[in-house]
Every structure is written in C-alpha cells, then in structure tokens.
Amino acid sequence: MWNVGLYTSPILATVLYRRGYFVFDGIVTIAKFLTGIGLILAASYCLRSIDRANNYTYITFLNSLTAAKKELNKDTKKALSRYDFEFYAWPVEFKWSDIEGDETKHRLYMDRPSPRRTAVEWLFALPCQVVSYVVAHTFGLRLVYPGSISMLQYVMAPILLQGRIKLVNENQAERFKLHTRDGNYVDTMIVDRRNKHANGNTLVICSEGNAGFYEIGIMVTPLEAGYSVLGWNHPGFGGSTGMPYPDQELNAIDIVMQFAIHGLKFQPENILLFGWSIGGYPISWAAMNYPDVKGVILDATFDDIVELAILRMPSSLEPLVRKTIRDYINLNIYQQLSKYPGPVLLIRRTEDEVICTEEMKLSSNRGNNLLVKLLKYRYPKIFDDEGVAILHAWLAADVNQRTIIWSKYDINEDLCVSTLMSYISEHSNSFPCLVGEGFSSDLKAEMVLFLAHKYMIDFQSTHCTPLPANMFRLPWELSSELEYVKV
Ligand SMILES: *[C@@H]1O[C@H](CO)[C@@H](O)[C@H](O)[C@H]1NC(C)=O
C-alpha cells in the first residue's frame, strides 16, 4: 500500500485537493484516518507476536536462528538451511576483512580517464554534469537494470521463493551471505558437486541479466551439465543490498570470486565464468582480474552498452544518454575482456531481439562487435581489413549461406591448428599473437573462419530462452588440441 501510495501520490494529492481536504477540517479527517490505520497495524503486529510466541514451528526456527548467529558451524547452518526468511537476518558468512593480505592485491579497472578541464570549462560543463547525474541516479540505472525496481521484486517474490526452494530441495544448494568491501551484502547460492559428478570439480560462476535473479536464472544450464554452480544476485536484486552501479557490481563479483577461491577452496583453474547478457560486465571484470580461471563463456552479450542505450531513447537525447552512460553506467565489456588472456566462448542468439541494433538483422547483433574486436585484438595480422571483411560476411550469413562459405574456402582444421601451433612454439602464446604475416589470402581466409567458428557458436533462439545444457561447452583452447594430437 505504501508503494502504491507513493507512486500515485500526485494523483491522490490532486483528488484530495479537489475535494477540499486541504483545509483544517480535512487535515484533521486525514489524520484521524491514518491514526486508525496505524492502530489496526499495531494491533495486528501484537497479535502476530503473541501467535508466534506460542507456535512451536516458529520457536524452533527462532532457536535455530539465534544459535546460528551466535556460532556458525556445520550443524547450526544445517538447521538454519531448513528455513527461508528475510535475508537481512541471515548471518554473514564471508567478509571482505576475512581475506588476509588481500587488501593489498592490486585490481584493474577500465575506467575512462576523466578529461582535464580549466576552471571556466568546468563551470560550463557543470549543468550537463548535474543533469546526467540526476538522470543516472533516478530512472537511468533502473532502465538499464529493471530488476532493481522494488515493485517488480514485490511481484516476483513468490516466484523467487519457489526458485530457492527448488534449488535447496532438488539440488542440495546452500545459501551464503557475503559482505563486500563497500558494505553491501551479496545473496549467493551454491551447489557443490565435488566428488559427486563428472564435472563437479569445476565451479561455474553465473552472472545474471538485467532483470535476472539466480533463483530463476541461468544456473539451470550448468546444473544440468553436471557442474558445481554458484549463483549470486546483483546489488539491489533479491536478498542483495545496494544498487547495481558499476562500482557496487564489481565489488560484488570480487567478493564472490574471493569466496569461491578462499571460502569454498576452488582453485582458479577450476573456475569457469559464465555470464548472460549484461552479466557479461562483472564476468569480464573478474576474468581480467583473475586471469588464471579455466575460461569465460558469454551468452547473448554485447561489447558496450552505449549503442544499445542510445537506440532505446529519443535520438535528440543522444548526447545526454552517451554522457550519462559513460560517466555512471559505463558497461564496457569488450575493454575488460580484451585484458583476459584465456579461453573465451561467445554464444550468439540468432533471433536476438534485445541486443540487435536493427530489428531481426543478424549482422547488427552487438555480439558480433564483441567477437570482431576481440579477434582483431588477439590476432591482428589475420584480422586485418581483408580478414575483418570476410568475418563480417560470415557473421551476416544464415545457416545455408554459411555452408556455402565454409566449403568455398575448403577449411582444413588440422592445417589451421598446426599453423597456430608452430607459430606459438617459435614465438610465444601471449596476445596479441602476430601469426599471419606473409600468409596467402586463401590461408588467411581459412584462419579467419576457423577462429570465428571456434570463438562463437550460434544458438537458434531469442534473447531470453534458457540455454540448453548441450550448448554449454568449454571454450576452445589450442592446448587441448595438442593433447588430442598426442593421443
Ligand atoms: C506456526 O507457524 C508456521 C509458520 O508461520 C505456520 O505455517 C503454522 O501454521 C503455525 N502453526 C499454528 C498451529 O498456528
């Protein structure tokens, strides 16, 4: 009622004013009415307390909670895990300050350098600055992350509860509360399948979309594929506190990574990072800062949010949108991903309706931009102008056209692998990899298609369809081809 009242307050106020309630008598009437409601509320809270104090189920729960808050160990945690309750009351299990010596670990951030301005320039820029600050902090961030709107969460609450019950009952998931360095709490759910499943020794860390919650999100895919899985909610989503501003988002993924490594004791080389849509932002940051992870899988992700944001707003507002995004919600996924040297797999949805800049046009999918930029950075000699042109043609082609292109260039995968390997054995396997100098245009074209085919797979669906488990595969690695050759 409070929320509804708040959102409709302008209308309510007008109605009350018209009816003449804003005179002394009217105000007295309103005050009486509110006092009445207050009394009813207070009485019902009292009744509820009396009822709970006499309810065996409730008293057992309260005892479990008190015991767990006093000392959190295996037994008290187990007793507590049988209940679902407001997350603020959940005991904190892993804190930023728990990590010894980690305060000093340097972390990389890909922020835009702020322009140097003289005092006069600064004064002229001030009004713009104020407007974009207000836009970002009122509706801007909520438009980018609709899942943070409290009304939506209120409506979703029963569905999220069902999701948690399902995870705990069917997958033996365990819930954890983490405390970030900026004071937020992160709601986390873990399914630990070490020594239980074939893939259980690998932990998949899942980052959700802009209206996604781990309760009903992408965890299902790696779970079905038999991995250990960790899901967490963005700041301001579900049980997590805060708001999904980039800095809070990055502190949240950082504590999740620290918890996975130091709390759960998964080695970084056994951690796979998996992000869907906007979840590619925290994932690419984690990849840049934890480069030893096993690999990165990005599903329906884009290179940079700015073009997508501009598209959704009136074109006259473009400069404002650009500035607001760059200053406050700068989700520059490509920049972060390029700093990660390990295996990457991109999954593109062929009927994506969310991250295409032109309706139903495969070639305008922003996932293409992410692939092109990444490959250009990693293999600059292969993806020169000529190579990029072939790649664009490949990315715009449908399934039939692809078959034609593939057979036209007569791709010999073994040749591509051995070409890369011999380059690496003579030089180094770091990026940018300068293989491709002096290649014939045929060989270069072959390498373009071979690499594109290894780095990105297509999933014939729309943006929000859950990814089937059989498409959840490890990113391609040259060294795995090496083992294959040895056998
Ligand atoms: C006790 O409380 C639980 C949880 O709120 C409720 O499900 C149950 O019906 C209550 N039992 C009685 C006897 O009121």
Side-chain angles (χ1 to χ4, degrees):
M1 281 179 75
W2 176 253
N3 261 331
V4 171
L6 211 62
Y7 283 103
T8 55
S9 55
I11 305 170
L12 265 172
T14 328
V15 171
L16 290 177
Y17 179 75
R18 287 246 173 98
R19 297 211 169 167
Y21 272 105
F22 286 126
V23 289
F24 182 71
D25 282 355
I27 291 176
V28 169
T29 317
I30 295 177
K32 276 186 188 162
F33 174 71
L34 289 180
T35 318
I37 291 201
L39 281 177
I40 293 174
L41 215 61
S44 57
Y45 271 117
C46 279
L47 282 176
R48 191 173 76 171
S49 307
I50 294 168
D51 193 41
R52 284 182 176 177
N54 291 305
N55 177 318
Y56 175 74
T57 317
Y58 207 84
I59 291 170
T60 326
F61 157 66
L62 212 56
N63 287 339
S64 304
L65 182 60
T66 318
K69 280 198 161 170
K70 205 180 280 168
E71 195 202 339
L72 202 62
N73 57 36
K74 233 180 159 166
D75 295 330
T76 55
K77 178 78 191 279
K78 197 168 173 213
L80 197 63
S81 299
R82 296 177 50 231
Y83 303 94
D84 198 283
F85 49 96
E86 280 86 346
F87 200 57
Y88 70 80
W90 193 276
V92 177
E93 248 158 297
F94 192 79
K95 291 196 277 297
W96 183 253
S97 48
D98 287 349
I99 318 150
E100 247 170 73
D102 207 82
E103 297 275 344
T104 53
K105 186 185 161 200
H106 182 67
R107 281 169 174 78
L108 270 176
Y109 293 91
M110 280 287 124
D111 282 335
R112 197 172 65 130
S114 44
R116 270 168 213 276
R117 290 200 180 108
T118 64
V120 180
E121 281 172 330
W122 186 82
L123 208 64
F124 274 106
L126 194 63
C128 279
Q129 202 70 40
V130 171
V131 171
S132 72
Y133 179 89
V134 170
V135 168
H137 290 76
T138 50
F139 57 90
L141 188 73
R142 287 169 182 84
L143 283 182
V144 176
Y145 285 94
S148 64
I149 298 171
S150 55
M151 280 282 247
L152 182 99
Q153 296 202 27
Y154 182 75
V155 176
M156 301 268 297
I159 307 168
L160 298 185
L161 175 62
Q162 285 308 318
R164 281 196 297 276
I165 291 175
K166 189 163 173 250
L167 280 166
V168 171
N169 282 352
E170 291 177 19
N171 301 104
Q172 286 77 47
E174 194 179 346
R175 203 176 185 188
F176 288 89
K177 184 170 176 177
L178 318 179
H179 193 197
T180 67
R181 67 159 102 184
D182 54 353
N184 279 334
Y185 295 103
V186 184
D187 182 0
T188 335
M189 196 65 103
I190 285 116
V191 180
D192 190 344
R193 285 166 160 174
R194 273 176 285 192
N195 308 320
K196 286 184 200 146
H197 276 264
N199 290 330
N201 287 338
T202 301
L203 177 71
V204 180
I205 295 185
C206 302
S207 290
E208 302 289 339
N210 63 0
F213 299 81
Y214 73 70
E215 286 95 335
I216 47 169
I218 60 174
M219 283 177 84
V220 285
T221 305
L223 277 177
E224 210 175 300
Y227 288 92
S228 289
V229 183
L230 184 159
W232 60 285
N233 276 335
H234 297 291
F237 282 52
S240 297
T241 62
M243 279 300 270
Y245 290 105
D247 56 333
Q248 297 187 33
E249 188 80 358
L250 299 185
N251 283 326
I253 187 74
D254 203 8
I255 198 74
V256 166
M257 290 302 292
Q258 290 292 332
F259 176 60
I261 295 166
H262 301 292
L264 299 171
K265 305 254 182 283
F266 277 91
Q267 294 299 316
E269 55 267 30
N270 292 328
I271 295 177
L272 260 179
L273 301 176
F274 177 35
W276 174 66
S277 194
I278 218 165
Y281 176 66
I283 287 297
S284 54
W285 184 88
M288 166 170 82
N289 280 284
Y290 297 86
D292 302 333
V293 292
K294 192 184 184 79
V296 170
I297 302 172
L298 294 176
D299 179 13
T301 301
F302 45 86
D303 56 330
D304 186 343
I305 196 166
V306 89
E307 300 304 325
L308 293 166
I310 286 170
L311 203 74
R312 280 173 181 67
M313 301 298 282
S315 55
S316 53
L317 292 181
E318 186 186 320
L320 176 67
V321 175
R322 198 177 281 278
K323 179 168 174 50
T324 307
I325 292 284
R326 282 288 176 250
D327 285 355
Y328 299 104
I329 319 172
N330 191 21
L331 309 181
N332 47 356
I333 296 174
Y334 161 70
Q335 276 194 323
Q336 298 184 149
L337 190 64
S338 68
K339 297 277 178 248
Y340 167 67
V344 175
L345 176 69
L346 307 181
I347 299 166
R348 179 177 71 160
R349 271 79 184 322
T350 53
E351 281 137 46
D352 205 311
E353 72 287 25
V354 175
I355 63 162
C356 284
T357 49
E358 286 168 63
E359 210 170 318
M360 292 315 280
K361 204 164 165 203
L362 198 54
S363 60
S364 76
N365 186 310
R366 291 302 301 190
N368 296 342
N369 302 62
L370 184 58
L371 178 74
V372 173
K373 289 179 184 174
L374 186 67
L375 288 177
K376 251 172 103 166
Y377 172 77
R378 287 192 166 190
Y379 303 98
K381 299 282 176 200
I382 289 176
F383 293 87
D384 54 5
D385 293 346
E386 201 184 337
V388 169
I390 296 171
L391 180 58
H392 277 303
W394 172 252
L395 290 172
D398 62 23
V399 183
N400 295 330
Q401 293 163 332
R402 280 197 165 188
T403 323
I404 298 169
I405 298 178
W406 192 262
S407 56
K408 175 181 150 199
Y409 286 106
D410 189 23
I411 316 273
N412 180 343
E413 297 203 33
D414 290 340
L415 175 71
C416 296
V417 169
S418 60
T419 310
L420 284 174
M421 265 176 201
S422 64
Y423 180 88
I424 284 168
S425 61
E426 272 176 48
H427 302 83
S428 82
N429 64 349
S430 62
F431 293 119
C433 170
L434 299 179
V435 62
E437 205 138 15
F439 279 14
S440 69
S441 30
D442 269 357
L443 182 57
K444 207 186 276 177
E446 258 189 72
M447 294 292 282
V448 166
L449 297 181
F450 170 77
L451 286 169
H453 174 71
K454 292 292 185 196
Y455 270 79
M456 183 187 263
I457 56 174
D458 272 346
F459 172 31
Q460 202 180 355
S461 83
T462 52
H463 190 72
C464 296
T465 316
L467 187 72
N470 64 9
M471 296 208 70
F472 190 87
R473 57 184 79 154
L474 290 179
W476 171 73
E477 244 181 314
L478 194 60
S479 58
S480 65
E481 304 265 1
L482 194 67
E483 279 152 33
Y484 177 74
V485 172
K486 264 187 204 153
V487 171

